[in-house]
Amino acid sequence: MFVRTYAGAIVGIDAVAVTVEVNIAGGGLGMYLVGLPDNAVKESEQRIRAAFENSGEKMSGRKVVVNLAPADLRKEGAAFDLPIAIGILAAMGRVEGRDLEGTMLAGELSLDGSLRAVKGVLPMAVKAREMGLKRLILPCENASEAAVVEGVEIIAAESLKQTIAFLNGEQTMIPALPPQETEEVEAGIYDEDFADVKGQEYVKRAMEIAAAGGHNILLIGSPGSGKTMLARRLPTILPPLSREEALETTKIHSVAGKTGVSSGLMTRRPFRSPHHLASQVAIVGGGQNPSPGEASLAHNGVLFLDELPEFGRGVLEVLRQPLEDKKITVSRAKYSVEYPANFMLVAAMNPCPCGYYNHPTKECTCSPGSVHRYMNRISGPLMDRIDLHVEVTPVDPASLSDMTPGERSVAVRERVIRARAIQEERFKGVCGVHTNAMMNAALLRRHCALDGDTARLLERAMNRLSLSARAYDRILKVARTIADLAGRERIEASDVAEAINYRSLDRGSWGK
């Protein structure tokens, strides 16, 4: 007997429909699995046989051929256990096959017949809806994650036995509902707040500009000056995720297996802080079984690289392309996948090997040559792609002992949201551009025109600081954001001057 069920294979951050074709006929024994399965899929036969025995079922004594179509697409992971098992049972007449045409299945089988959670169920649910399928049956642990997709029933099953009973009409199961957002999430309440930061008004202003325009920022200062503390509070002033952003971000984390048991759509912008020993694959993704890297997991959020010069040179250089293109294309001999990577880069570093160059009270023990060698660990092209370079000086003891609370993140976030709203209106109808940091050359000419005096100010700064053409564009983008925060239509000289001030750590001026 021939039966067809539906499953999903993950390619990048999207799911591709896989038709599980099962045919049971005479003329042989055993189970034959074809259609480019990886080792995890090939091993499903042993899991299925044990699950059948412990669920009161028996494997067919005749030849079982399972084809995973399309046959030229590599199938990876244990999510195919459940659709293959149900297909075999349907071909044996143990499962009613009428509703299988409108059902997608996903789940890993334990030997006792229970279902284990799998990765990538959110894109599978999206694909099931696109195909016009009625329902998706999956493990209970994945139900909340998939239930955020409207238009398809999410049936959470605990075991193979329960799935069989549901498909045969012997047990009624209510479709899962998406989890409700908590009041803290809806109000944007975080455990950390900008009010905790003493002093550092200049740096907090730079962080606000970076958040308002989606700009990359580099914090450089001595140990204990507050760089990491400031960076970890940047998500608290970023605008909340839109529905589209939340769905795309959650899909990436779903494919990587990072979402929690009870999570639905992600409601907070991700903050990723990889260790400086991370490899290139860990940062940009890929591997033998392709998976998103830290840059993609930070999509629509923040990628924080602490101790920037300690990262491998190759690791830093692979970030140059996603910083420009907002996506990562991983090409290997056997596959080519594309991951979105529209993140804000926040980097922190010491000014020299000992950490006390330009310190107001402590003396630096490094030679001038060692300071330059330390800075040269970061290439000029990468430095050009960072819009704001901010020197973080230590806070004096009087400010540390001041108990007066600073400005709360919620107040800063309101200004950031207003500036982002101006940018959304400005770039309405421009595909792929949402913030000032994403403007191309044509948009710069249209929205960043300067008057004569302002243009001459910028020209003098370019010559004095030995800035590149890319740095010129970055200054214009930051100046545009400063004007947006002030609610001004045109860029003024003060906006350009402030933007230039945030390039004071460029290669041509640092250390002189």
Side-chain angles (χ1 to χ4, degrees):
M1 184 176 178
F2 173 81
V3 171
R4 175 187 297 115
T5 63
Y6 295 103
I10 302 301
V11 179
I13 65 167
D14 297 313
V16 176
V18 174
T19 303
V20 181
E21 301 173 337
V22 181
N23 188 69
I24 298 179
L29 297 173
M31 176 176 166
Y32 299 86
L33 191 58
V34 297
L36 278 184
D38 72 347
N39 287 334
V41 182
K42 292 177 182 177
E43 292 168 353
S44 65
E45 178 182 356
Q46 305 306 320
R47 293 191 294 270
I48 290 171
R49 288 183 181 275
F52 279 4
E53 291 177 4
N54 291 300
S55 302
E57 302 290 342
K58 290 184 179 181
M59 177 64 80
S60 173
R62 296 189 293 172
K63 180 180 179 181
V64 179
V65 179
V66 179
N67 178 44
L68 306 177
D72 59 348
L73 176 68
R74 185 168 178 79
K75 319 304 185 304
E76 299 173 342
F80 293 94
D81 288 4
L82 184 61
I84 293 173
I86 293 297
I88 293 173
L89 290 171
M92 294 166 55
R94 294 287 297 123
V95 169
E96 178 61 50
R98 286 180 301 174
D99 289 338
L100 289 181
E101 285 294 325
T103 302
M104 180 179 286
L105 302 106
E108 177 184 346
L109 283 173
S110 293
L111 299 185
D112 63 355
S114 60
L115 292 178
R116 295 179 180 271
V118 295
K119 299 188 294 185
V121 296
L122 180 56
M124 290 182 196
V126 173
K127 189 62 181 179
R129 181 181 62 184
E130 292 175 355
M131 295 172 62
L133 300 181
K134 182 180 180 181
R135 67 176 67 89
L136 169 62
I137 302 177
L138 40 66
C140 293
E141 290 87 346
N142 294 125
S144 296
E145 179 185 335
V148 300
V149 179
E150 299 175 351
V152 59
E153 294 180 356
I154 304 301
I155 304 299
E158 295 180 353
S159 64
L160 175 64
K161 192 171 184 178
Q162 188 180 40
T163 306
I164 296 169
F166 171 74
L167 291 172
N168 287 336
E170 301 169 358
Q171 180 175 344
T172 301
M173 298 174 67
I174 300 175
L177 297 175
Q180 297 295 318
E181 294 182 354
T182 63
E183 294 182 1
E184 289 78 9
V185 171
E186 291 174 348
I189 298 175
Y190 291 80
D191 294 333
E192 299 167 326
D193 197 281
F194 259 52
D196 304 330
V197 181
K198 304 295 183 181
Q200 305 292 12
E201 299 303 322
Y202 170 74
V203 186
K204 287 191 281 188
R205 165 67 174 173
M207 300 286 278
E208 179 181 340
I209 294 169
H215 302 288
N216 304 315
I217 183 170
L218 170 65
L219 306 176
I220 180 169
S222 57
S225 57
K227 304 184 295 296
T228 303
M229 184 180 186
L230 286 158
R232 292 193 177 278
R233 282 157 177 76
L234 181 59
T236 69
I237 64 172
L238 290 173
L241 286 167
S242 67
R243 175 77 180 185
E244 291 182 0
E245 288 177 327
L247 182 60
E248 188 174 33
T249 304
T250 308
K251 281 172 65 177
I252 297 171
H253 286 248
S254 174
V255 169
K258 301 294 184 182
T259 52
V261 170
S262 60
S263 63
L265 278 182
M266 295 180 64
T267 54
R268 293 181 178 178
R269 294 186 180 271
F271 181 90
R272 305 296 300 183
S273 180
H275 192 268
H276 61 261
L277 293 179
S279 66
Q280 294 184 29
V281 172
I283 297 297
V284 301
Q288 185 175 359
N289 296 322
S291 180
E294 292 291 338
S296 294
L297 292 171
H299 181 64
N300 291 324
V302 176
L303 177 64
F304 177 47
L305 301 184
D306 203 1
E307 304 296 342
L308 185 65
E310 304 303 326
F311 282 83
R313 182 72 174 238
V315 172
L316 296 179
E317 294 308 299
V318 297
L319 287 174
R320 287 160 57 174
Q321 183 238 349
L323 284 172
E324 289 288 338
D325 300 337
K326 307 302 180 183
K327 63 182 180 180
I328 294 172
T329 302
V330 181
S331 297
R332 298 291 185 268
K334 294 184 178 180
Y335 64 83
S336 179
V337 295
E338 184 175 287
Y339 298 119
N342 183 17
F343 57 86
M344 281 182 59
L345 175 64
V346 180
M349 61 178 291
N350 294 329
C352 65
C354 79
Y356 296 105
Y357 182 82
N358 274 2
H359 194 280
T361 59
K362 296 185 179 181
E363 184 177 353
C364 174
T365 60
C366 305
S367 65
S370 64
V371 174
H372 284 289
R373 284 193 297 272
Y374 189 76
M375 290 296 296
N376 282 333
R377 294 184 184 180
I378 308 169
S379 68
L382 180 62
M383 190 73 81
D384 274 349
R385 287 169 169 81
I386 301 177
D387 303 351
L388 297 96
H389 307 164
V390 184
E391 189 170 7
V392 184
T393 56
V395 181
D396 60 89
S399 298
L400 288 174
S401 59
D402 185 6
M403 293 294 103
T404 305
E407 186 178 29
R408 293 184 58 82
S409 292
V410 63
V412 182
R413 185 167 60 246
E414 289 177 358
R415 296 195 295 269
V416 170
I417 291 174
R418 287 197 296 269
R420 288 283 184 107
I422 293 173
Q423 295 166 57
E424 285 289 340
E425 182 65 26
R426 174 181 300 136
F427 302 126
K428 184 183 297 183
V430 182
C431 182
V433 179
H434 308 288
T435 61
N436 291 331
M438 302 173 72
M439 284 191 290
N440 56 30
L443 292 173
L444 277 174
R445 289 194 299 269
R446 185 185 310 168
H447 300 295
C448 299
L450 304 179
D451 59 36
D453 291 340
T454 306
R456 284 189 289 273
L457 170 65
L458 181 53
E459 182 180 349
R460 289 195 299 270
M462 292 287 295
N463 293 329
R464 183 171 63 86
L465 297 177
S466 303
L467 300 178
S468 67
R470 184 180 283 114
Y472 178 90
D473 290 347
R474 302 286 175 178
I475 290 173
L476 286 180
K477 292 176 183 180
V478 173
R480 178 68 270 172
T481 300
I482 295 171
D484 289 342
L485 281 168
R488 289 192 291 270
E489 179 65 28
R490 293 190 60 83
I491 298 174
E492 297 183 356
S494 59
D495 303 326
V496 173
E498 184 175 1
I500 293 170
N501 195 42
Y502 295 126
R503 304 295 303 190
S504 60
L505 303 181
D506 264 313
R507 191 78 60 191
S509 63
W510 179 252
K512 292 186 179 180

